[in-house]
Amino acid sequence: MSTNLVVKLGIQIIASSLTMTLGIWGRNCKVTAVEIPQYKEKVSNKITQNTSVDTKEKEADIEINIIGELLNEPVFSPFRQEGTVKDSTRPIYVITGEEMEAQGARTVREAIKFLPGILGDGTVGTEVNALSGQLIRGSNTGQVLILLDGRPINNAGSGGFDLSEFTTNNIQRIEVLPGGGSTLYGSDAIGGVINIITRRPTEKITTEAKVNIGAYGLNQQSIQNSGKKGDISWVVGYNRTQAENNYPFSIPEANFSGTRKNNDALYNNFNLKLEADLGKGNTLSFSTLYLNKEQGTPGGVPIPFPVNGQGFFNSLTDKNRKYTDQILTDLTWNLKLGGGDDSLLTAKVYGDFLNTRFDPSGSVSSQNRFQTNQSSYGIQTTHSWNFAKNQSLVYGFDYRNVNVRNTSFSYSTNKETLNYDNDINQGALFTKYEVVLIPNLTVNVGLRQDFSSLVNGSVTSPSVGTKYAVSDSTTLRANYIQNFRVPTIANLFNVNPSNIGNPELKPERGDSFDIGIDQKLGNIGLARLTFFKNNVSDTIAFKRLTPPVNGNTGTWENIGLVETTGIEATLNLQVAKNIYTFVNYTANDPRIFKSSNAAEINKELRFAGADKLNLGVSYETPQGLYLGLLMNSLNGYPTNNTNTEFLSGYTTFDFKLLVPLSDKLVVTGSVENLFNQRYQLFPGFPDGGRGFQIGLSSTF
């Protein structure tokens, strides 16, 4: 997609939005904005009007409050402190725990499916356990920073983090911040930031129990208990998810039909959070997650043509297994300084332990078992200070030490080989200053200096952002951020001859630009449009050594420049009483401008260039009834950087249902891929086809 086409699409979306709006005004409908189909609490919480007010005035107040709730949605990522969507100079997209339940999202990967700005489908399947492959603004998975309650959890050994590991039972909300975030968060935030916010304790002692069954052996149970006694509050829970995923499929390119085998999964996830009110503005909280998953890795169908193509070397594996054990723990101290809420000091210490094992179980005697053990220890200190009526400052210090040990065991020789066992130490000082120059104009500037144990690992990351309220209904915004990503330990130190590490690698560097407009449509909704450009230089890529050098067949090097231009557009409306709709569109055009392979110049970066369209309509009542029809559509995209191989796009429809049987009993149901469209997300790897879920949840 060319830049001109991106601009044309943006103009078309604006024109379509205005046409729809004028049509709605012509019908004299009362409508409101919703980011995605809403759940009962978004409406029912607003029915607190005085009984002396007449019904029409009540409905008007409710609608205005819903618009306000969208703009006042709490977010953390753009500020590194609590703020709201309307306070941010940057576009940010949020899905809440209530909305995840209404949509039947079982994992974080599934929860972000209908958000704009991100291509979040798994790259090797659509099952509950499918590997997450989040791509934002032309970035790859390793260039998107994953935060857990504001702290990094990316895998420093191989890059990225598999979002299918997180089940949604303990998630309060998920924030997607496109466009990088190195000024506040450091490495890996080239394409964007995903922040997973876990549940906070409730004031009253409450227990929630859920049971969910579905197609292909889905069997899910979860229980959460939350409450407060005196100065101590807690959340404790457990989730068990099991699925066989033995669906029929075909790969026409390989003339293959069969049933998916060795595709089962079993999750056992535990969560615990304790909070203590120490008085005088002091609070202390302890949080830990244990994420355990065992799953089959069924592989893919070999694609015979083109020879040596993306799917040519696939193989179906009937015994290969993957095991993960992850413990994510932190201790956080909050201290309010002064007499109000204008100064908050936060100190967080955390320790994470990520263990992954790939085991062929002897299915092929020449195969190797791979195991990775990562331990991370970190400190975050942040002071948020509103030191004047129109000025605020956030500053602090970060430190993280990561050790990763990777081994391979050969079944043929019965020997274990150490591939790498190394550490990376990263520290940083950061600050961000924001000032309201005039009532309608806000400007922020930020700066971060990272220090790393890597020879080339020290990086400076500035940022600047602004927003200007042209009127009560129109806001303009613009941002610039420099971002970076340090090489993974595997990139640097691997001794496996097939991909030997290169300790001279430099960090990848990126620049994020965006400019946008937020437009309230009277009292009826909200439209947001963002044009963006992302550059990534010194891209780390694999280089095959032909002939081998000292027995090494491949290594890593800094090559290439990728520039991505595109748009993100959202429109949220209530088209009639109890009927809501949304549409969002993301266009990506990632172009390779520099590469060691001349055939890649001016070509589209593989997988990252798909354009995405989401549509949804829902019927909701103040009593909590929810019926939704959601569409997710991707266009075709190349699967290699020379653009000689492509996968076609796809469009799927999901039906969602939530029925409250009483105040304490709720039935949920969904049909995914309603029309059973079959497609591939990676050559030779099938989707799961039509599926269904039905669940029952109780609160007591």
Side-chain angles (χ1 to χ4, degrees):
M1 180 185 293
S2 67
T3 303
N4 289 338
L5 182 55
V6 170
V7 174
K8 289 179 181 178
L9 285 170
I11 294 172
Q12 290 174 0
I13 287 178
I14 294 174
S16 299
S17 301
L18 292 175
T19 301
M20 180 183 293
T21 301
L22 291 173
I24 293 171
W25 276 332
R27 295 194 298 272
N28 197 28
C29 293
K30 290 283 187 180
V31 293
T32 66
V34 287
E35 184 63 25
I36 62 174
Q38 303 296 295
Y39 180 53
K40 57 183 180 181
E41 291 187 9
K42 292 271 183 180
V43 176
S44 61
N45 287 346
K46 302 303 174 186
I47 308 178
T48 57
Q49 314 298 322
N50 190 303
T51 54
S52 64
V53 183
D54 97 355
T55 303
K56 291 183 179 181
E57 290 177 341
K58 286 184 184 179
E59 290 178 354
D61 288 342
I62 292 170
E63 290 163 358
I64 292 172
N65 284 338
I66 293 175
I67 295 175
E69 186 164 347
L70 173 62
L71 294 175
N72 291 318
E73 186 76 57
V75 289
F76 180 91
S77 306
F79 318 105
R80 196 152 166 170
Q81 62 175 327
E82 290 299 332
T84 65
V85 170
K86 70 179 180 182
D87 296 329
S88 177
T89 63
R90 301 178 56 188
I92 183 167
Y93 311 111
V94 181
I95 180 169
T96 67
E98 292 86 359
E99 294 161 347
M100 294 178 214
E101 182 178 12
Q103 292 184 9
R106 298 164 294 188
T107 67
V108 171
R109 180 185 68 83
E110 294 179 345
I112 59 179
K113 176 179 180 180
F114 297 103
L115 294 183
I118 182 169
L119 306 178
D121 277 338
T123 54
V124 292
T126 57
E127 303 82 20
V128 63
N129 56 292
L131 179 68
S132 178
Q134 55 276 356
L135 311 175
I136 300 179
R137 294 188 178 179
S139 64
N140 60 44
T141 297
Q143 295 167 338
V144 175
L145 178 63
I146 310 299
L147 302 175
L148 176 65
D149 292 325
R151 63 179 179 84
I153 58 173
N154 279 44
N155 188 326
S158 57
F161 192 98
D162 185 3
L163 295 181
S164 73
E165 302 285 339
F166 283 97
T167 50
T168 56
N169 56 293
N170 184 44
I171 307 301
Q172 180 172 312
R173 70 178 186 269
I174 303 168
E175 305 169 358
V176 175
L177 180 67
S182 289
T183 301
L184 289 179
Y185 299 107
S187 177
D188 301 327
I190 285 183
V193 176
I194 299 174
N195 192 16
I196 303 166
I197 307 295
T198 56
R199 282 191 179 192
R200 294 288 308 277
T202 56
E203 288 292 323
K204 296 182 179 180
I205 297 177
T206 304
T207 300
E208 298 178 12
K210 299 179 182 179
V211 177
N212 196 34
I213 59 174
Y216 308 122
L218 175 67
N219 185 356
Q220 187 175 42
Q221 308 90 35
S222 68
I223 186 167
Q224 294 278 338
N225 180 265
S226 178
K228 183 177 182 180
K229 279 286 188 180
D231 294 329
I232 304 297
S233 54
W234 69 88
V235 179
V236 59
Y238 166 69
N239 176 282
R240 180 186 183 276
T241 301
Q242 187 174 21
E244 294 299 322
N245 299 318
N246 52 349
Y247 51 81
F249 74 102
S250 63
I251 304 294
E253 297 87 343
N255 194 28
F256 177 93
S257 296
T259 299
R260 202 68 161 143
K261 298 178 181 179
N262 188 39
N263 199 26
D264 61 296
L266 175 63
Y267 292 74
N268 283 285
N269 290 355
F270 297 85
N271 60 276
L272 172 66
K273 179 174 288 187
L274 300 173
E275 294 188 357
D277 185 351
L278 305 180
K280 297 182 179 179
N282 281 271
T283 60
L284 188 67
S285 65
F286 171 80
S287 177
T288 186
L289 296 178
Y290 173 65
L291 309 178
N292 172 273
K293 184 170 67 169
E294 176 186 349
Q295 65 184 94
T297 55
V301 177
I303 307 296
F305 183 82
V307 176
N308 298 327
Q310 291 294 301
F312 184 79
F313 298 101
N314 289 345
S315 63
L316 293 173
T317 56
D318 59 356
K319 295 183 180 179
N320 286 10
R321 310 292 293 176
K322 178 185 177 184
Y323 305 87
T324 57
D325 285 284
Q326 308 190 55
I327 300 174
L328 309 170
T329 302
D330 64 71
L331 182 68
T332 304
W333 174 53
N334 289 302
L335 173 61
K336 291 183 179 180
L337 303 175
D341 296 328
D342 57 354
S343 181
L344 177 66
L345 177 65
T346 300
K348 185 191 295 283
V349 294
Y350 58 90
D352 300 333
F353 307 92
L354 286 64
N355 304 312
T356 304
R357 186 173 89 247
F358 294 92
D359 195 339
S361 299
S363 58
V364 179
S365 61
S366 62
Q367 287 187 337
N368 293 334
R369 180 185 70 211
F370 293 93
Q371 184 160 343
T372 302
N373 304 103
Q374 173 174 310
S375 57
S376 303
Y377 301 94
I379 301 171
Q380 289 183 329
T381 60
T382 306
H383 183 207
S384 306
W385 186 19
N386 299 322
F387 61 90
K389 185 177 180 180
N390 65 330
Q391 299 178 73
S392 64
L393 185 67
V394 176
Y395 63 94
F397 169 75
D398 290 340
Y399 173 77
R400 188 186 188 201
N401 167 269
V402 183
N403 172 266
V404 186
R405 187 177 191 271
N406 178 273
T407 61
S408 58
F409 177 83
S410 172
Y411 284 98
S412 60
T413 64
N414 203 33
K415 290 183 179 180
E416 183 176 85
T417 301
L418 178 64
N419 295 320
Y420 51 86
D421 184 358
N422 297 89
D423 295 80
I424 289 181
N425 292 281
Q426 296 170 284
L429 297 171
F430 67 89
T431 185
K432 185 174 182 179
Y433 167 74
E434 184 165 285
V435 58
V436 181
L437 295 175
I438 57 176
N440 295 338
L441 177 63
T442 300
V443 176
N444 62 68
V445 292
L447 185 66
R448 182 185 180 99
Q449 179 62 52
D450 277 84
F451 309 93
S452 175
S453 58
L454 303 178
V455 174
N456 300 308
S458 297
V459 178
T460 303
S461 304
S463 68
V464 60
T466 184
K467 64 185 178 75
Y468 177 64
V470 179
S471 66
D472 290 340
S473 59
T474 304
T475 300
L476 304 177
R477 45 184 165 76
N479 300 275
Y480 167 75
I481 307 167
Q482 284 188 9
N483 307 292
F484 75 100
R485 174 178 179 257
V486 300
T488 67
I489 291 179
N491 295 153
L492 294 165
F493 305 120
N494 200 359
V495 297
N496 189 318
S498 62
N499 46 58
I500 193 75
N502 178 3
E504 301 302 319
L505 288 173
K506 298 180 293 184
E508 297 178 328
R509 298 177 183 269
D511 294 281
S512 297
F513 307 85
D514 66 64
I515 184 169
I517 181 172
D518 298 340
Q519 179 66 52
K520 294 180 183 178
L521 307 176
N523 289 331
I524 68 171
L526 178 68
R528 308 189 77 188
L529 180 66
T530 302
F531 291 83
F532 65 83
K533 182 176 182 180
N534 267 26
N535 300 329
V536 182
S537 60
D538 291 327
T539 304
I540 298 172
F542 182 72
K543 178 182 180 181
R544 189 170 301 279
L545 300 176
T546 306
V549 178
N550 297 325
N552 300 319
T553 58
T555 188
W556 302 90
E557 64 178 0
N558 291 106
I559 58 173
L561 169 66
V562 176
E563 293 188 358
T564 303
T565 56
I567 62 172
E568 296 161 4
T570 67
L571 176 66
N572 305 271
L573 297 169
Q574 181 185 351
V575 296
K577 183 179 180 181
N578 298 334
I579 299 179
Y580 301 83
T581 186
F582 77 94
V583 56
N584 61 64
Y585 177 71
T586 303
N588 291 291
D589 184 25
R591 292 287 160 180
I592 303 170
F593 286 106
K594 294 181 182 179
S595 173
S596 61
N597 182 356
E600 297 178 355
I601 304 299
N602 293 323
K603 298 299 176 66
E604 184 177 296
L605 187 68
R606 64 180 193 143
F607 294 106
D611 297 340
K612 174 182 174 181
L613 175 67
N614 291 323
L615 295 170
V617 61
S618 63
Y619 176 81
E620 307 171 46
T621 68
Q623 294 74 32
L625 176 65
Y626 171 89
L627 294 90
L629 183 65
L630 310 180
M631 185 194 83
N632 175 244
S633 180
L634 263 70
N635 72 337
Y637 50 87
T639 60
N640 64 356
N641 287 340
T642 56
N643 295 182
T644 57
E645 298 179 53
F646 289 82
L647 282 177
S648 58
Y650 60 88
T651 300
T652 60
F653 292 85
D654 295 353
F655 173 74
K656 312 292 184 179
L657 172 70
L658 187 148
V659 181
L661 302 180
S662 69
D663 291 341
K664 298 182 178 180
L665 199 62
V666 173
V667 171
T668 57
S670 66
V671 180
E672 297 88 18
N673 197 352
L674 189 63
F675 302 109
N676 200 34
Q677 180 176 8
R678 306 310 299 265
Y679 54 93
Q680 299 170 55
L681 292 164
F682 188 88
F685 286 78
D687 75 295
R690 184 189 298 116
F692 72 89
Q693 300 180 59
I694 185 168
L696 182 67
S697 63
S698 177
T699 303
F700 52 91

